[in-house]
Each structure stands twice: as C-alpha cells, then as structure tokens.
Amino acid sequence: MGRSRIVSILLVAVLLAAGCQNPGADEDDGSLRRIVYLTAFGATGRDAFAWVAQEKGYFRDAGLDVEIRLGAALSDNMRTLAAGRADFMNSDLIGGVISAGQGTFTGFRVFAAIHQQSLVSIVTPADGPIKKPADLAGKRLGAATASVNQVLFPAYAKATGLDPAGVTWVNAAPAQVPALLASGRVDALCTFLIGRPGIEAAAGKQMTVLPFSDALPDTFGNALTTSASLAESDPDLVRRFRDAALRGLADTLADPRAAAELLHERNPASTVAAAEGEITLMAPLTTPTGGGPLGSIDRDRLTRAIAMLTDAGLFAPGLTADEVVAFPLTPGS
C-alpha cells in the first residue's frame, strides 16, 4: 500500500473520530434558519415544550436554529414582535384579542392554540370565605401588573353577575404575586390556574380555584403567535415552526416530569415540582373541544369569544376572528 493511500485512510479515520466525539459536530453549519422565540413569561412549566422541541431536535429537523428567550408581560412581548426582534412567541390569545380590539397591537397573527381554555382563574384559600364568584364582592384581589387576568375580569364579572367595581386590586410584579396572598395582603389572586401548586407552597395551605372558563367557556389560553407580515410572506416557515413546537408539546404532555427536569436544567431558577405541577394541570386544557388536532383553533368559538368581550364593553364591535388568527396556518387547516 502506497504512502499516500495510508495517509488518506488515517485522515478519514481521524475525521470520523472527530465527528463522533465532538458534541458540536452537528451544530448549525449555516443551513438552518435562525429564529428568535419568546416564552409567554419567564421559564415555567407551560413553556417547557419549547425546550423539549429544541432538545429532541424537532426544530433542527424543521430546518430551524431556534433561540429561546424569556418573555415578559404580553404588551412587552407584543412590542418585541412588532419591532422585529422576535419571530414567534407564546402569548395569551384572549389578551391578543383585547389588544387588537382596543387597537393597541394589531400586527400579529395566532396560528396554533396551546390551551383550548383560558387559564385565568380566581385562586383563594380553601378554608377562606370565597366559595363562588359572588363572594368576591368587597374583597381584595391580587394580580400581576398589566396582566391579561385583570383586563379580562370585567367580562368574568358580567357573566357571573358581579359588579367589577366591587373589588379592590393590589398589583405586583409576576414573581411576587403569590406572596400577596401568603402575606395576607389580599383575599384571593386573579392568576393562572396552573400556578396553584406554587401558590399553595408559598401559602402553606390548600387553594380553591374558580376558573374563568366556567363562566366564559369560549375563551382560549396561550397560543403560538407571529407577526402578520411573516405569516403572509413565509407561511412555510410558520408551519415548520408550528409542527416542531407542537411535537415538543405532545412529548411534554406525555412526560411532564422529564419536561420539568429539562426546564430546570436549562433554567436553574425554575423548580421541577412546580413545573411538573403546571404541566399536569394544563394537560386537560390542551385537548380541542371539537376533536381536532392538537393546536387547532375553532373559528366559531373564537367569534363567540370576541362577541362576549365586545358585549362586556372591553372594545367596540367590528373585530373579526381573521384579524387575530391566520386560520390557513392552523393545524388541520
């Protein structure tokens, strides 16, 4: 065997070994589309599916190199999307409807529902006086500053026969909301029902949950969202991201513990127990009521939700479901 032949064989062996041993060998070689994605808020169980999709290579399989950034309040995330500093985000669908109806933010489109029902709820101590919506009269409610929870409350009050002016609001930064109840500053929280495990841990007692969806059955929760311009200019990109993210969601729902552990690994400030609890509680809320595929959005339901919000006086009539959702890009369309 000639010297050149031997050198060639050795070189191939070295390259193969390097490819097997180097964990960065499969990193983006420039062929992947770089994407910025915003979580709904911080790093919590309801957003774990994004890291699952990333870890399992679903985004890469779709030709995407996704950077996951921690989101903030809905208005902040909307501004980031509008400024072109993010391509996709997880956001509250009904909060988006209200923003569009009020003309605050209009240049976005939803393309997949994460939660088929609103997560907004009243969370209050099980041993306390609040057992039903009417018991909220004269009480102090805690909520995150500028959250959709407080914005949606008038519609919930109208549906349950409660005077929205009959409650006193106490606002705090999202991370400090459970402490409002634990310290006795409020009688109940207006927050997401899947946060119950963390609230119970902070207060050291069991909680009763009054879901807004009991009175507002057509409201949705979080949803995958992009800009109206991207939805129009590159629908294939939106579909690829959608399918990869929903694969991550399906795996998260199938194994909440593994998803929670991955979330903690990527975001040490999160706790496995709280994240697993959130995922477990949200699982039943992800099933489409009409039997469609995971992530689907019922146009008629959303139209009824818009009418309900209009009737509650949150914005003037005229907004349509198609001004909020890119239905041709939703699962099963």
Side-chain angles (χ1 to χ4, degrees):
M1 184 181 294
R3 178 180 176 83
S4 61
R5 175 66 170 168
I6 293 174
V7 171
S8 296
I9 292 174
L10 290 174
L11 178 60
V12 169
V14 169
L15 290 174
L16 287 174
C20 293
Q21 296 172 7
N22 181 6
D26 63 347
E27 291 181 357
D28 183 14
D29 59 3
S31 63
L32 302 180
R33 173 73 176 267
R34 292 189 177 275
I35 292 298
V36 173
Y37 167 78
L38 296 177
T39 66
F41 188 90
T44 60
R46 61 184 176 272
D47 274 301
F49 67 89
W51 282 279
V52 172
Q54 185 183 64
E55 174 71 14
K56 294 196 172 186
Y58 297 155
F59 288 136
R60 178 173 292 277
D61 291 346
L64 306 175
D65 175 21
V66 178
E67 177 187 352
I68 303 172
R69 296 181 184 173
L70 304 187
L74 176 63
S75 57
D76 293 333
N77 291 350
M78 284 286 192
R79 279 190 285 269
T80 300
L81 187 73
R85 297 194 299 271
D87 304 286
F88 300 102
M89 67 179 184
N90 188 12
S91 64
D92 190 272
L93 197 163
I94 295 303
V97 167
I98 295 172
S99 294
Q102 295 177 346
T104 307
F105 297 102
T106 58
F108 68 92
R109 291 295 182 272
V110 169
F111 56 90
I114 302 301
H115 308 122
Q116 296 290 330
Q117 296 179 33
S118 175
L119 301 181
V120 181
S121 302
I122 300 298
V123 179
T124 187
D127 60 0
I130 301 173
K131 307 298 183 185
K132 57 186 183 299
D135 296 335
L136 293 170
K139 300 298 190 297
R140 298 161 299 164
L141 287 183
T145 304
S147 69
V148 66
N149 309 315
Q150 189 170 345
V151 173
L152 187 57
F153 185 78
Y156 177 70
K158 181 179 178 64
T160 58
L162 179 70
D163 180 4
V167 303
T168 299
W169 290 96
V170 179
N171 295 116
Q176 302 304 316
V177 169
L180 292 176
L181 190 61
S183 63
R185 293 180 58 195
V186 299
D187 303 294
L189 299 178
C190 186
T191 187
F192 289 156
L193 65 89
I194 58 178
R196 189 186 73 194
I199 295 170
E200 289 179 336
K205 59 174 63 178
Q206 295 294 309
M207 295 290 149
T208 291
V209 176
L210 304 177
F212 276 27
S213 59
D214 287 350
L216 308 173
D218 293 318
T219 53
F220 290 79
N222 285 355
L224 296 179
T225 306
T226 189
S227 64
S229 59
L230 184 58
E232 181 178 355
S233 66
D234 202 340
D236 177 67
L237 173 64
V238 177
R239 291 189 181 96
R240 285 188 285 135
F241 178 86
R242 177 200 71 193
D243 293 344
L246 292 178
R247 287 181 70 187
L249 177 61
D251 287 358
T252 296
L253 299 174
D255 194 345
R257 181 72 179 187
E261 290 175 346
L262 176 62
L263 178 71
H264 176 67
E265 177 185 319
R266 300 293 181 85
N267 303 272
S270 67
T271 63
V272 174
E276 182 180 11
E278 279 202 7
I279 296 167
T280 301
L281 286 172
M282 85 177 200
L285 306 179
T286 62
T287 303
T289 55
L294 186 68
S296 59
I297 301 175
D298 186 314
R299 185 196 300 267
D300 292 337
R301 273 192 64 205
L302 185 58
T303 298
R304 291 194 297 270
I306 292 173
M308 174 272 298
L309 295 171
T310 300
D311 185 56
L314 294 184
F315 50 83
L319 182 70
T320 67
D322 290 276
E323 292 177 89
V324 176
V325 175
F327 286 100
L329 300 181
T330 57
S333 59

